mmCIF file of all heavy atoms in Angstrom:
data_model
loop_
_atom_site.group_PDB
_atom_site.id
_atom_site.type_symbol
_atom_site.label_atom_id
_atom_site.label_comp_id
_atom_site.label_asym_id
_atom_site.label_seq_id
_atom_site.Cartn_x
_atom_site.Cartn_y
_atom_site.Cartn_z
ATOM 1 N N GLU A 80 -86.998 3.247 -19.566
ATOM 2 C CA GLU A 80 -88.297 3.608 -18.987
ATOM 3 C C GLU A 80 -88.659 5.052 -19.335
ATOM 4 O O GLU A 80 -89.802 5.345 -19.687
ATOM 5 C CB GLU A 80 -88.276 3.436 -17.474
ATOM 6 C CG GLU A 80 -88.269 2.003 -17.010
ATOM 7 C CD GLU A 80 -88.116 1.876 -15.500
ATOM 8 O OE1 GLU A 80 -88.451 2.841 -14.767
ATOM 9 O OE2 GLU A 80 -87.656 0.810 -15.050
ATOM 10 N N LEU A 81 -87.687 5.945 -19.220
ATOM 11 C CA LEU A 81 -87.936 7.350 -19.560
ATOM 12 C C LEU A 81 -88.274 7.509 -21.037
ATOM 13 O O LEU A 81 -89.202 8.242 -21.392
ATOM 14 C CB LEU A 81 -86.714 8.197 -19.210
ATOM 15 C CG LEU A 81 -86.455 8.426 -17.732
ATOM 16 C CD1 LEU A 81 -85.062 9.011 -17.519
ATOM 17 C CD2 LEU A 81 -87.510 9.340 -17.133
ATOM 18 N N LEU A 82 -87.539 6.824 -21.901
ATOM 19 C CA LEU A 82 -87.800 6.919 -23.338
ATOM 20 C C LEU A 82 -89.164 6.333 -23.697
ATOM 21 O O LEU A 82 -89.882 6.893 -24.536
ATOM 22 C CB LEU A 82 -86.682 6.228 -24.118
ATOM 23 C CG LEU A 82 -85.326 6.935 -24.052
ATOM 24 C CD1 LEU A 82 -84.233 6.050 -24.627
ATOM 25 C CD2 LEU A 82 -85.384 8.279 -24.768
ATOM 26 N N ALA A 83 -89.534 5.233 -23.053
ATOM 27 C CA ALA A 83 -90.843 4.632 -23.311
ATOM 28 C C ALA A 83 -91.964 5.559 -22.848
ATOM 29 O O ALA A 83 -92.969 5.731 -23.547
ATOM 30 C CB ALA A 83 -90.946 3.276 -22.616
ATOM 31 N N ARG A 84 -91.781 6.163 -21.688
ATOM 32 C CA ARG A 84 -92.794 7.101 -21.178
ATOM 33 C C ARG A 84 -92.901 8.313 -22.093
ATOM 34 O O ARG A 84 -93.995 8.793 -22.376
ATOM 35 C CB ARG A 84 -92.408 7.540 -19.755
ATOM 36 C CG ARG A 84 -93.323 8.551 -19.150
ATOM 37 C CD ARG A 84 -94.609 7.936 -18.651
ATOM 38 N NE ARG A 84 -95.375 8.974 -17.972
ATOM 39 C CZ ARG A 84 -96.652 9.202 -18.196
ATOM 40 N NH1 ARG A 84 -97.328 8.436 -19.015
ATOM 41 N NH2 ARG A 84 -97.274 10.175 -17.571
ATOM 42 N N SER A 85 -91.781 8.796 -22.580
ATOM 43 C CA SER A 85 -91.774 9.918 -23.510
ATOM 44 C C SER A 85 -92.555 9.569 -24.770
ATOM 45 O O SER A 85 -93.401 10.341 -25.230
ATOM 46 C CB SER A 85 -90.334 10.296 -23.869
ATOM 47 O OG SER A 85 -90.317 11.265 -24.880
ATOM 48 N N GLN A 86 -92.283 8.401 -25.308
ATOM 49 C CA GLN A 86 -92.977 7.979 -26.535
ATOM 50 C C GLN A 86 -94.466 7.801 -26.282
ATOM 51 O O GLN A 86 -95.298 8.170 -27.119
ATOM 52 C CB GLN A 86 -92.369 6.681 -27.071
ATOM 53 C CG GLN A 86 -92.888 6.312 -28.435
ATOM 54 C CD GLN A 86 -92.670 7.420 -29.457
ATOM 55 O OE1 GLN A 86 -91.582 7.952 -29.614
ATOM 56 N NE2 GLN A 86 -93.726 7.792 -30.171
ATOM 57 N N GLU A 87 -94.818 7.252 -25.142
ATOM 58 C CA GLU A 87 -96.230 7.065 -24.783
ATOM 59 C C GLU A 87 -96.956 8.413 -24.730
ATOM 60 O O GLU A 87 -98.067 8.557 -25.242
ATOM 61 C CB GLU A 87 -96.320 6.363 -23.432
ATOM 62 C CG GLU A 87 -97.723 6.175 -22.907
ATOM 63 C CD GLU A 87 -97.734 5.594 -21.498
ATOM 64 O OE1 GLU A 87 -96.857 4.774 -21.172
ATOM 65 O OE2 GLU A 87 -98.635 5.979 -20.735
ATOM 66 N N LEU A 88 -96.317 9.406 -24.123
ATOM 67 C CA LEU A 88 -96.916 10.739 -24.039
ATOM 68 C C LEU A 88 -97.062 11.377 -25.414
ATOM 69 O O LEU A 88 -98.081 12.013 -25.709
ATOM 70 C CB LEU A 88 -96.079 11.633 -23.126
ATOM 71 C CG LEU A 88 -96.136 11.286 -21.642
ATOM 72 C CD1 LEU A 88 -95.045 12.031 -20.884
ATOM 73 C CD2 LEU A 88 -97.506 11.617 -21.069
ATOM 74 N N LYS A 89 -96.059 11.211 -26.255
ATOM 75 C CA LYS A 89 -96.132 11.756 -27.615
ATOM 76 C C LYS A 89 -97.259 11.089 -28.404
ATOM 77 O O LYS A 89 -97.996 11.765 -29.130
ATOM 78 C CB LYS A 89 -94.802 11.553 -28.347
ATOM 79 C CG LYS A 89 -93.699 12.436 -27.853
ATOM 80 C CD LYS A 89 -92.412 12.127 -28.585
ATOM 81 C CE LYS A 89 -91.267 12.924 -28.028
ATOM 82 N NZ LYS A 89 -89.974 12.559 -28.647
ATOM 83 N N THR A 90 -97.395 9.789 -28.256
ATOM 84 C CA THR A 90 -98.452 9.062 -28.965
ATOM 85 C C THR A 90 -99.826 9.519 -28.505
ATOM 86 O O THR A 90 -100.714 9.740 -29.328
ATOM 87 C CB THR A 90 -98.288 7.528 -28.734
ATOM 88 O OG1 THR A 90 -97.001 7.139 -29.221
ATOM 89 C CG2 THR A 90 -99.363 6.747 -29.449
ATOM 90 N N ARG A 91 -99.996 9.675 -27.208
ATOM 91 C CA ARG A 91 -101.282 10.151 -26.667
ATOM 92 C C ARG A 91 -101.616 11.536 -27.182
ATOM 93 O O ARG A 91 -102.774 11.831 -27.467
ATOM 94 C CB ARG A 91 -101.225 10.201 -25.151
ATOM 95 C CG ARG A 91 -101.775 8.970 -24.512
ATOM 96 C CD ARG A 91 -102.099 9.259 -23.060
ATOM 97 N NE ARG A 91 -101.304 8.377 -22.248
ATOM 98 C CZ ARG A 91 -100.928 8.598 -21.008
ATOM 99 N NH1 ARG A 91 -101.264 9.725 -20.431
ATOM 100 N NH2 ARG A 91 -100.220 7.734 -20.352
ATOM 101 N N LYS A 92 -100.611 12.388 -27.278
ATOM 102 C CA LYS A 92 -100.825 13.759 -27.743
ATOM 103 C C LYS A 92 -101.286 13.780 -29.204
ATOM 104 O O LYS A 92 -102.067 14.613 -29.600
ATOM 105 C CB LYS A 92 -99.545 14.567 -27.566
ATOM 106 C CG LYS A 92 -99.695 16.025 -27.821
ATOM 107 C CD LYS A 92 -98.420 16.759 -27.530
ATOM 108 C CE LYS A 92 -98.591 18.242 -27.764
ATOM 109 N NZ LYS A 92 -97.387 19.005 -27.446
ATOM 110 N N GLU A 93 -100.774 12.852 -29.992
ATOM 111 C CA GLU A 93 -101.114 12.795 -31.420
ATOM 112 C C GLU A 93 -102.524 12.267 -31.664
ATOM 113 O O GLU A 93 -103.101 12.512 -32.710
ATOM 114 C CB GLU A 93 -100.110 11.920 -32.164
ATOM 115 C CG GLU A 93 -98.729 12.534 -32.223
ATOM 116 C CD GLU A 93 -97.684 11.593 -32.797
ATOM 117 O OE1 GLU A 93 -98.028 10.442 -33.156
ATOM 118 O OE2 GLU A 93 -96.519 12.005 -32.877
ATOM 119 N N GLU A 94 -103.059 11.523 -30.702
ATOM 120 C CA GLU A 94 -104.390 10.923 -30.890
ATOM 121 C C GLU A 94 -105.501 11.902 -30.733
ATOM 122 O O GLU A 94 -105.602 12.891 -30.298
ATOM 123 C CB GLU A 94 -104.583 9.772 -29.883
ATOM 124 C CG GLU A 94 -103.667 8.630 -30.156
ATOM 125 C CD GLU A 94 -103.781 7.518 -29.107
ATOM 126 O OE1 GLU A 94 -104.362 7.735 -28.029
ATOM 127 O OE2 GLU A 94 -103.275 6.431 -29.377
#
Side-chain angles (χ1 to χ4, degrees):
E80 288 175 23
L81 288 168
L82 291 169
R84 177 78 175 132
S85 173
Q86 189 56 50
E87 177 186 325
L88 289 168
K89 288 177 185 175
T90 301
R91 265 198 241 154
K92 188 176 181 178
E93 292 172 0
E94 293 176 346

